[in-house]
Amino acid sequence: MVTALAVEPVDGPDVLGRGRADGATLAVLFVMALLLIPARLVIKGLPLSLTPASLFSLLAGMCWMCATFTTTLGAAKGRTPARTALFVYTTATLATYGVASYGFLPADELRLADHALVLIIANVGIALAVCDGVRGADRLDFVLKAVVVCGAVIAVIAVFQFAVGLDLTRYLELPGLRYSTEGSMVEIRDSLRRVAATATHPIEFGVLSSMLLPLAAHYGFQARERAEPTVRWWVCTGLIGAGLMFSVSRSAVLGAGVVAAVLLSGWPGRRRARALSVAAVFLVLMKVLVPGLLGTFYGLFANFGTDNSVLYRTNDYSIAIAEIARHPWLGRGIGTWYAPKYIVFDNQYILTVVETGVIGVTVFAAVFLAGAYSALRARYLSGNPGRRDLGLTLAACLLVPLVGSATFDLLAFPMVTGVSFLLIGAAGSLLRTSREEAGTVSGRNLLETPDRHGSETPGRPGEAG
């Protein structure tokens, strides 16, 4: 058994036991597998199409479950809004799956329902492993910095795809893996290359970039305020920003707009002015270096009412309404509405209400709202400026998939879904840390360990869940 959640709490800021793996270790391995390995590469020989990242997230969920049953492996105990929302989401999903599979389902739909259930359990597993297994701000920073660095690496891949049409992912052949789909990750829109890096589609890559951009900027600002080297983080920020532009995605711009609205409302005036100045310079550079790019983005929104992709998204409303009326509460079953058998809903909310009903779509949105609330609550409780800024940043990141789900079927894209659930767990972990620092943890310390006489001895500071 991998005791990846094992933590040896020590006095002082270092919460990780010397030389021992913890939840952050598994989370970083998951991030590397999720972002650096092309999402189209799946494991050979399995009846279900699972990526290495899904395997890591299932392992993380198993470790979380084992650690939850003990008081010696360092996993946090007790409720948080994020953890409660994940529990409700899982319960609703299982109810939908049970009702759908209890009745008759065609063999193809039942097989896809099984696959969808495994992926949902995997995503919830990594979220819980981060929420309860990443203990302390230093370990959380370790995970989130890994997310930023990996995001910058795949942005470099996107730059090559956009600038010279070179898809580096085609040269990545790993033993034990196979490509689930063929074809290039480079598309053309208005004579411009539209790239996906290691993601499955440019929309996914663009939305992912809009989620990672505020995290990169956060560590750039924090390094500056701590008088630490800042160049590396601003390089990451620039690369991720370029990747967002090179996706040529309307959803990515909407996500960036949501992020900007949240951050600008919470940042101090000096940082707000600096960020707006940098954004203006960045856009000027994009206009000079890539003529026509900004005009293409302008056209995506100026022609919104006549855009074929928008009209396609709205023409399926009548079909969705009729299907929802047949199964209003728990839906027809997760994963059972798929192309080419059925029309594609480029809207995760519509697809979710069709597959899981009103209950399912409500808890789906609640998971992201609970994550954003956890992050903002951590910001409120913490007296540390860095933690407060991270809380605001995570809240901004988690609103991106909430808004993006209205423009594309988010759960069909493994990379952006995996990062979304990881950030939900990160928000829960940050809230636990802020509660411990503020001394507001309620209830008995569930990490108390019995002494040799059988009585309970309170754990050391920082062990409370």
Side-chain angles (χ1 to χ4, degrees), residues 353-409:
V353 75
V354 166
E355 292 188 339
T356 64
V358 174
I359 294 175
V361 75
T362 302
V363 297
F364 169 76
V367 167
F368 294 101
L369 290 174
Y373 170 80
S374 298
L376 293 176
R377 181 63 178 169
R379 173 180 169 84
Y380 173 79
L381 292 175
S382 180
N384 182 292
R387 311 272 199 286
R388 289 175 55 81
D389 189 65
L390 181 58
L392 181 68
T393 301
L394 286 175
C397 293
L398 287 171
L399 290 182
V400 173
L402 195 66
V403 173
S405 292
T407 62
F408 76 115
D409 45 338

Short mmCIF file of all heavy atoms in Angstrom, two decimals, residues 353-409:
data_model
loop_
_atom_site.label_atom_id
_atom_site.label_comp_id
_atom_site.label_asym_id
_atom_site.label_seq_id
_atom_site.Cartn_x
_atom_site.Cartn_y
_atom_site.Cartn_z
N VAL A 353 -28.04 18.01 -17.17
CA VAL A 353 -29.44 17.88 -16.77
C VAL A 353 -30.12 16.77 -17.57
O VAL A 353 -31.03 16.09 -17.07
CB VAL A 353 -30.19 19.23 -16.92
CG1 VAL A 353 -30.48 19.56 -18.37
CG2 VAL A 353 -31.47 19.23 -16.10
N VAL A 354 -29.68 16.53 -18.81
CA VAL A 354 -30.21 15.41 -19.59
C VAL A 354 -29.76 14.09 -18.97
O VAL A 354 -30.56 13.15 -18.83
CB VAL A 354 -29.75 15.51 -21.06
CG1 VAL A 354 -30.00 14.19 -21.79
CG2 VAL A 354 -30.47 16.64 -21.77
N GLU A 355 -28.49 13.98 -18.59
CA GLU A 355 -27.95 12.72 -18.11
C GLU A 355 -28.22 12.48 -16.63
O GLU A 355 -28.38 11.33 -16.21
CB GLU A 355 -26.44 12.66 -18.37
CG GLU A 355 -26.07 12.57 -19.84
CD GLU A 355 -24.61 12.33 -20.04
OE1 GLU A 355 -23.80 12.62 -19.12
OE2 GLU A 355 -24.23 11.83 -21.13
N THR A 356 -28.23 13.53 -15.82
CA THR A 356 -28.36 13.34 -14.36
C THR A 356 -29.52 14.12 -13.75
O THR A 356 -29.68 14.11 -12.53
CB THR A 356 -27.05 13.75 -13.65
OG1 THR A 356 -26.82 15.16 -13.84
CG2 THR A 356 -25.87 12.97 -14.18
N GLY A 357 -30.32 14.79 -14.55
CA GLY A 357 -31.51 15.45 -14.06
C GLY A 357 -31.23 16.76 -13.33
O GLY A 357 -30.10 17.24 -13.25
N VAL A 358 -32.30 17.32 -12.81
CA VAL A 358 -32.20 18.59 -12.08
C VAL A 358 -31.30 18.44 -10.85
O VAL A 358 -30.52 19.33 -10.52
CB VAL A 358 -33.60 19.07 -11.67
CG1 VAL A 358 -33.52 20.31 -10.79
CG2 VAL A 358 -34.45 19.34 -12.91
N ILE A 359 -31.40 17.30 -10.18
CA ILE A 359 -30.56 17.08 -9.00
C ILE A 359 -29.10 17.05 -9.39
O ILE A 359 -28.24 17.67 -8.76
CB ILE A 359 -30.97 15.76 -8.30
CG1 ILE A 359 -32.38 15.87 -7.74
CG2 ILE A 359 -29.97 15.40 -7.20
CD1 ILE A 359 -32.90 14.58 -7.15
N GLY A 360 -28.79 16.35 -10.47
CA GLY A 360 -27.41 16.24 -10.90
C GLY A 360 -26.79 17.56 -11.30
O GLY A 360 -25.65 17.87 -10.93
N VAL A 361 -27.52 18.36 -12.08
CA VAL A 361 -26.95 19.63 -12.52
C VAL A 361 -26.80 20.60 -11.35
O VAL A 361 -25.87 21.42 -11.32
CB VAL A 361 -27.80 20.24 -13.66
CG1 VAL A 361 -29.10 20.83 -13.14
CG2 VAL A 361 -27.00 21.27 -14.43
N THR A 362 -27.68 20.50 -10.36
CA THR A 362 -27.57 21.36 -9.18
C THR A 362 -26.32 21.05 -8.39
O THR A 362 -25.57 21.96 -8.01
CB THR A 362 -28.82 21.22 -8.30
OG1 THR A 362 -29.99 21.55 -9.05
CG2 THR A 362 -28.73 22.12 -7.08
N VAL A 363 -26.06 19.77 -8.12
CA VAL A 363 -24.89 19.43 -7.33
C VAL A 363 -23.61 19.63 -8.13
O VAL A 363 -22.54 19.91 -7.57
CB VAL A 363 -24.98 17.99 -6.80
CG1 VAL A 363 -26.16 17.84 -5.86
CG2 VAL A 363 -25.06 16.97 -7.93
N PHE A 364 -23.68 19.51 -9.46
CA PHE A 364 -22.52 19.78 -10.31
C PHE A 364 -22.06 21.22 -10.14
O PHE A 364 -20.88 21.50 -9.92
CB PHE A 364 -22.86 19.48 -11.77
CG PHE A 364 -21.83 19.97 -12.75
CD1 PHE A 364 -20.63 19.29 -12.92
CD2 PHE A 364 -22.05 21.11 -13.51
CE1 PHE A 364 -19.68 19.75 -13.82
CE2 PHE A 364 -21.11 21.57 -14.41
CZ PHE A 364 -19.91 20.89 -14.57
N ALA A 365 -23.01 22.15 -10.24
CA ALA A 365 -22.66 23.56 -10.05
C ALA A 365 -22.25 23.83 -8.61
O ALA A 365 -21.34 24.64 -8.35
CB ALA A 365 -23.85 24.45 -10.43
N ALA A 366 -22.87 23.14 -7.66
CA ALA A 366 -22.57 23.37 -6.24
C ALA A 366 -21.14 22.99 -5.90
O ALA A 366 -20.54 23.60 -5.00
CB ALA A 366 -23.55 22.59 -5.37
N VAL A 367 -20.58 21.99 -6.58
CA VAL A 367 -19.20 21.59 -6.29
C VAL A 367 -18.23 22.75 -6.56
O VAL A 367 -17.36 23.06 -5.74
CB VAL A 367 -18.82 20.36 -7.14
CG1 VAL A 367 -17.32 20.12 -7.09
CG2 VAL A 367 -19.54 19.13 -6.63
N PHE A 368 -18.40 23.42 -7.68
CA PHE A 368 -17.51 24.54 -8.00
C PHE A 368 -17.78 25.74 -7.11
O PHE A 368 -16.86 26.45 -6.70
CB PHE A 368 -17.66 24.91 -9.48
CG PHE A 368 -17.19 23.85 -10.42
CD1 PHE A 368 -18.10 23.01 -11.04
CD2 PHE A 368 -15.84 23.66 -10.66
CE1 PHE A 368 -17.67 22.02 -11.90
CE2 PHE A 368 -15.39 22.68 -11.52
CZ PHE A 368 -16.30 21.84 -12.14
N LEU A 369 -19.06 25.98 -6.81
CA LEU A 369 -19.38 27.09 -5.91
C LEU A 369 -18.84 26.84 -4.51
O LEU A 369 -18.35 27.77 -3.85
CB LEU A 369 -20.90 27.28 -5.86
CG LEU A 369 -21.54 27.81 -7.14
CD1 LEU A 369 -23.06 27.81 -7.01
CD2 LEU A 369 -21.04 29.22 -7.46
N ALA A 370 -18.88 25.59 -4.05
CA ALA A 370 -18.32 25.26 -2.74
C ALA A 370 -16.81 25.45 -2.72
O ALA A 370 -16.24 25.91 -1.73
CB ALA A 370 -18.67 23.82 -2.36
N GLY A 371 -16.15 25.09 -3.83
CA GLY A 371 -14.71 25.34 -3.91
C GLY A 371 -14.38 26.82 -3.87
O GLY A 371 -13.47 27.25 -3.15
N ALA A 372 -15.12 27.62 -4.64
CA ALA A 372 -14.89 29.07 -4.64
C ALA A 372 -15.19 29.66 -3.27
O ALA A 372 -14.45 30.53 -2.78
CB ALA A 372 -15.75 29.73 -5.72
N TYR A 373 -16.28 29.19 -2.63
CA TYR A 373 -16.59 29.68 -1.28
C TYR A 373 -15.48 29.32 -0.30
O TYR A 373 -15.09 30.14 0.55
CB TYR A 373 -17.91 29.08 -0.82
CG TYR A 373 -18.19 29.33 0.65
CD1 TYR A 373 -18.68 30.56 1.09
CD2 TYR A 373 -17.93 28.34 1.60
CE1 TYR A 373 -18.90 30.80 2.43
CE2 TYR A 373 -18.15 28.56 2.94
CZ TYR A 373 -18.64 29.79 3.37
OH TYR A 373 -18.85 30.02 4.71
N SER A 374 -14.95 28.10 -0.39
CA SER A 374 -13.87 27.69 0.51
C SER A 374 -12.67 28.60 0.36
O SER A 374 -12.04 29.00 1.34
CB SER A 374 -13.48 26.24 0.22
OG SER A 374 -14.55 25.35 0.45
N ALA A 375 -12.34 28.92 -0.89
CA ALA A 375 -11.19 29.79 -1.14
C ALA A 375 -11.42 31.19 -0.56
O ALA A 375 -10.52 31.78 0.07
CB ALA A 375 -10.92 29.87 -2.63
N LEU A 376 -12.62 31.74 -0.76
CA LEU A 376 -12.90 33.07 -0.24
C LEU A 376 -13.01 33.06 1.29
O LEU A 376 -12.61 34.04 1.95
CB LEU A 376 -14.20 33.59 -0.85
CG LEU A 376 -14.16 33.88 -2.35
CD1 LEU A 376 -15.53 34.29 -2.87
CD2 LEU A 376 -13.12 34.96 -2.67
N ARG A 377 -13.51 31.97 1.85
CA ARG A 377 -13.57 31.85 3.31
C ARG A 377 -12.16 31.79 3.90
O ARG A 377 -11.89 32.39 4.94
CB ARG A 377 -14.36 30.59 3.67
CG ARG A 377 -14.52 30.36 5.17
CD ARG A 377 -15.30 31.46 5.85
NE ARG A 377 -15.48 31.20 7.26
CZ ARG A 377 -15.94 32.09 8.13
NH1 ARG A 377 -16.29 33.30 7.70
NH2 ARG A 377 -16.09 31.78 9.41
N ALA A 378 -11.27 31.07 3.21
CA ALA A 378 -9.88 31.03 3.65
C ALA A 378 -9.25 32.41 3.59
O ALA A 378 -8.48 32.80 4.48
CB ALA A 378 -9.09 30.05 2.78
N ARG A 379 -9.59 33.16 2.56
CA ARG A 379 -9.09 34.53 2.45
C ARG A 379 -9.57 35.38 3.63
O ARG A 379 -8.81 36.19 4.18
CB ARG A 379 -9.57 35.13 1.12
CG ARG A 379 -9.28 36.62 0.94
CD ARG A 379 -9.82 37.08 -0.42
NE ARG A 379 -9.81 38.52 -0.55
CZ ARG A 379 -8.76 39.24 -0.92
NH1 ARG A 379 -7.62 38.64 -1.19
NH2 ARG A 379 -8.84 40.56 -1.02
N TYR A 380 -10.82 35.19 4.02
CA TYR A 380 -11.38 35.96 5.13
C TYR A 380 -10.72 35.60 6.46
O TYR A 380 -10.45 36.47 7.29
CB TYR A 380 -12.89 35.70 5.20
CG TYR A 380 -13.56 36.30 6.41
CD1 TYR A 380 -13.87 37.66 6.45
CD2 TYR A 380 -13.89 35.52 7.50
CE1 TYR A 380 -14.48 38.21 7.56
CE2 TYR A 380 -14.50 36.05 8.61
CZ TYR A 380 -14.80 37.41 8.64
OH TYR A 380 -15.40 37.95 9.74
N LEU A 381 -10.44 34.32 6.67
CA LEU A 381 -9.91 33.87 7.96
C LEU A 381 -8.42 34.15 8.13
O LEU A 381 -7.95 34.35 9.24
CB LEU A 381 -10.14 32.36 8.13
CG LEU A 381 -11.59 31.90 8.30
CD1 LEU A 381 -11.66 30.38 8.34
CD2 LEU A 381 -12.19 32.49 9.57
N SER A 382 -7.68 34.13 7.04
CA SER A 382 -6.22 34.21 7.14
C SER A 382 -5.75 35.65 7.33
O SER A 382 -6.29 36.59 6.75
CB SER A 382 -5.58 33.63 5.88
OG SER A 382 -4.18 33.71 5.96
N GLY A 383 -4.73 35.77 8.16
CA GLY A 383 -4.09 37.07 8.32
C GLY A 383 -2.82 37.19 7.51
O GLY A 383 -2.15 38.23 7.53
N ASN A 384 -2.47 36.11 6.79
CA ASN A 384 -1.26 36.10 5.97
C ASN A 384 -1.59 36.66 4.59
O ASN A 384 -2.47 36.14 3.91
CB ASN A 384 -0.74 34.66 5.86
CG ASN A 384 0.54 34.57 5.07
OD1 ASN A 384 0.56 34.79 3.88
ND2 ASN A 384 1.63 34.22 5.76
N PRO A 385 -0.88 37.70 4.13
CA PRO A 385 -1.20 38.30 2.83
C PRO A 385 -1.10 37.31 1.68
O PRO A 385 -1.91 37.35 0.75
CB PRO A 385 -0.16 39.43 2.70
CG PRO A 385 0.25 39.74 4.10
CD PRO A 385 0.18 38.45 4.84
N GLY A 386 -0.10 36.42 1.74
CA GLY A 386 0.04 35.44 0.67
C GLY A 386 -1.13 34.47 0.61
O GLY A 386 -1.62 34.13 -0.47
N ARG A 387 -1.60 34.02 1.78
CA ARG A 387 -2.74 33.11 1.82
C ARG A 387 -4.01 33.82 1.33
O ARG A 387 -4.84 33.24 0.64
CB ARG A 387 -3.01 32.61 3.24
CG ARG A 387 -1.83 32.08 3.94
CD ARG A 387 -1.54 30.63 3.74
NE ARG A 387 -0.67 30.23 4.82
CZ ARG A 387 0.62 30.55 4.92
NH1 ARG A 387 1.18 31.27 3.97
NH2 ARG A 387 1.35 30.15 5.94
N ARG A 388 -4.17 35.07 1.73
CA ARG A 388 -5.34 35.83 1.31
C ARG A 388 -5.36 35.99 -0.22
O ARG A 388 -6.40 35.83 -0.86
CB ARG A 388 -5.34 37.20 1.98
CG ARG A 388 -5.64 37.14 3.47
CD ARG A 388 -5.51 38.53 4.12
NE ARG A 388 -6.34 39.52 3.44
CZ ARG A 388 -7.63 39.67 3.64
NH1 ARG A 388 -8.26 38.89 4.52
NH2 ARG A 388 -8.32 40.59 2.99
N ASP A 389 -4.21 36.28 -0.79
CA ASP A 389 -4.14 36.43 -2.24
C ASP A 389 -4.38 35.10 -2.94
O ASP A 389 -5.05 35.04 -3.98
CB ASP A 389 -2.78 37.00 -2.64
CG ASP A 389 -2.74 37.38 -4.11
OD1 ASP A 389 -3.47 38.30 -4.50
OD2 ASP A 389 -1.97 36.74 -4.87
N LEU A 390 -3.88 34.01 -2.36
CA LEU A 390 -4.11 32.69 -2.96
C LEU A 390 -5.60 32.33 -2.90
O LEU A 390 -6.13 31.72 -3.84
CB LEU A 390 -3.27 31.63 -2.24
CG LEU A 390 -3.41 30.20 -2.77
CD1 LEU A 390 -3.02 30.13 -4.25
CD2 LEU A 390 -2.54 29.25 -1.95
N GLY A 391 -6.27 32.68 -1.81
CA GLY A 391 -7.70 32.41 -1.72
C GLY A 391 -8.47 33.11 -2.82
O GLY A 391 -9.35 32.52 -3.47
N LEU A 392 -8.15 34.38 -3.05
CA LEU A 392 -8.82 35.13 -4.13
C LEU A 392 -8.49 34.50 -5.48
O LEU A 392 -9.37 34.38 -6.35
CB LEU A 392 -8.36 36.59 -4.09
CG LEU A 392 -8.99 37.51 -5.15
CD1 LEU A 392 -10.47 37.70 -4.88
CD2 LEU A 392 -8.27 38.86 -5.17
N THR A 393 -7.25 34.08 -5.66
CA THR A 393 -6.82 33.50 -6.94
C THR A 393 -7.55 32.19 -7.21
O THR A 393 -8.03 31.95 -8.33
CB THR A 393 -5.30 33.26 -6.93
OG1 THR A 393 -4.63 34.51 -6.70
CG2 THR A 393 -4.83 32.67 -8.24
N LEU A 394 -7.64 31.31 -6.21
CA LEU A 394 -8.33 30.04 -6.41
C LEU A 394 -9.81 30.26 -6.69
O LEU A 394 -10.41 29.53 -7.51
CB LEU A 394 -8.15 29.15 -5.18
CG LEU A 394 -6.77 28.52 -4.99
CD1 LEU A 394 -6.70 27.77 -3.67
CD2 LEU A 394 -6.43 27.59 -6.15
N ALA A 395 -10.42 31.22 -6.03
CA ALA A 395 -11.83 31.51 -6.30
C ALA A 395 -12.01 31.94 -7.76
O ALA A 395 -12.96 31.50 -8.44
CB ALA A 395 -12.33 32.60 -5.36
N ALA A 396 -11.10 32.78 -8.26
CA ALA A 396 -11.18 33.21 -9.65
C ALA A 396 -11.00 32.02 -10.60
O ALA A 396 -11.73 31.89 -11.60
CB ALA A 396 -10.11 34.26 -9.92
N CYS A 397 -10.05 31.15 -10.29
CA CYS A 397 -9.81 29.97 -11.13
C CYS A 397 -11.05 29.08 -11.21
O CYS A 397 -11.39 28.57 -12.28
CB CYS A 397 -8.64 29.16 -10.58
SG CYS A 397 -7.03 29.98 -10.70
N LEU A 398 -11.73 28.88 -10.09
CA LEU A 398 -12.84 27.94 -10.04
C LEU A 398 -14.12 28.50 -10.68
O LEU A 398 -15.04 27.73 -10.97
CB LEU A 398 -13.12 27.53 -8.59
CG LEU A 398 -12.07 26.57 -8.02
CD1 LEU A 398 -12.27 26.37 -6.53
CD2 LEU A 398 -12.14 25.23 -8.74
N LEU A 399 -14.16 29.80 -10.88
CA LEU A 399 -15.31 30.35 -11.60
C LEU A 399 -15.19 30.14 -13.10
O LEU A 399 -16.19 30.22 -13.83
CB LEU A 399 -15.46 31.84 -11.29
CG LEU A 399 -15.92 32.18 -9.86
CD1 LEU A 399 -16.07 33.68 -9.70
CD2 LEU A 399 -17.22 31.47 -9.52
N VAL A 400 -13.97 29.87 -13.58
CA VAL A 400 -13.78 29.65 -15.02
C VAL A 400 -14.54 28.41 -15.50
O VAL A 400 -15.30 28.51 -16.47
CB VAL A 400 -12.27 29.56 -15.35
CG1 VAL A 400 -12.08 29.17 -16.81
CG2 VAL A 400 -11.58 30.88 -15.07
N PRO A 401 -14.35 27.23 -14.89
CA PRO A 401 -15.15 26.09 -15.36
C PRO A 401 -16.64 26.25 -15.13
O PRO A 401 -17.45 25.70 -15.88
CB PRO A 401 -14.59 24.90 -14.56
CG PRO A 401 -13.93 25.51 -13.36
CD PRO A 401 -13.41 26.83 -13.83
N LEU A 402 -17.01 27.01 -14.11
CA LEU A 402 -18.43 27.24 -13.85
C LEU A 402 -19.06 28.02 -15.00
O LEU A 402 -20.17 27.70 -15.45
CB LEU A 402 -18.59 28.01 -12.54
CG LEU A 402 -19.99 28.05 -11.93
CD1 LEU A 402 -20.42 26.66 -11.50
CD2 LEU A 402 -20.02 29.00 -10.73
N VAL A 403 -18.34 29.03 -15.50
CA VAL A 403 -18.84 29.80 -16.64
C VAL A 403 -18.62 29.03 -17.95
O VAL A 403 -19.48 29.00 -18.83
CB VAL A 403 -18.14 31.17 -16.70
CG1 VAL A 403 -18.51 31.92 -17.97
CG2 VAL A 403 -18.51 32.01 -15.47
N GLY A 404 -17.46 28.39 -18.07
CA GLY A 404 -17.15 27.67 -19.30
C GLY A 404 -18.07 26.51 -19.59
O GLY A 404 -18.25 26.12 -20.75
N SER A 405 -18.68 25.96 -18.54
CA SER A 405 -19.61 24.84 -18.76
C SER A 405 -20.82 25.25 -19.58
O SER A 405 -21.52 24.40 -20.13
CB SER A 405 -20.08 24.28 -17.41
OG SER A 405 -19.01 23.64 -16.72
N ALA A 406 -21.08 26.54 -19.69
CA ALA A 406 -22.19 27.02 -20.50
C ALA A 406 -21.81 27.14 -21.97
O ALA A 406 -22.69 27.31 -22.83
CB ALA A 406 -22.68 28.38 -19.99
N THR A 407 -20.52 27.02 -22.29
CA THR A 407 -20.07 27.19 -23.68
C THR A 407 -19.49 25.93 -24.28
O THR A 407 -19.28 25.88 -25.49
CB THR A 407 -19.02 28.32 -23.76
OG1 THR A 407 -17.86 27.96 -22.98
CG2 THR A 407 -19.58 29.63 -23.25
N PHE A 408 -19.20 24.91 -23.48
CA PHE A 408 -18.74 23.63 -24.02
C PHE A 408 -18.97 22.55 -22.98
O PHE A 408 -19.21 22.83 -21.80
CB PHE A 408 -17.26 23.70 -24.44
CG PHE A 408 -16.28 23.67 -23.30
CD1 PHE A 408 -15.41 22.59 -23.16
CD2 PHE A 408 -16.20 24.71 -22.39
CE1 PHE A 408 -14.49 22.55 -22.12
CE2 PHE A 408 -15.28 24.68 -21.37
CZ PHE A 408 -14.43 23.60 -21.22
N ASP A 409 -18.90 21.30 -23.42
CA ASP A 409 -19.17 20.17 -22.52
C ASP A 409 -17.91 19.83 -21.74
O ASP A 409 -17.14 18.95 -22.10
CB ASP A 409 -19.69 18.96 -23.30
CG ASP A 409 -18.89 18.69 -24.57
OD1 ASP A 409 -18.25 19.61 -25.09
OD2 ASP A 409 -18.92 17.55 -25.06
#
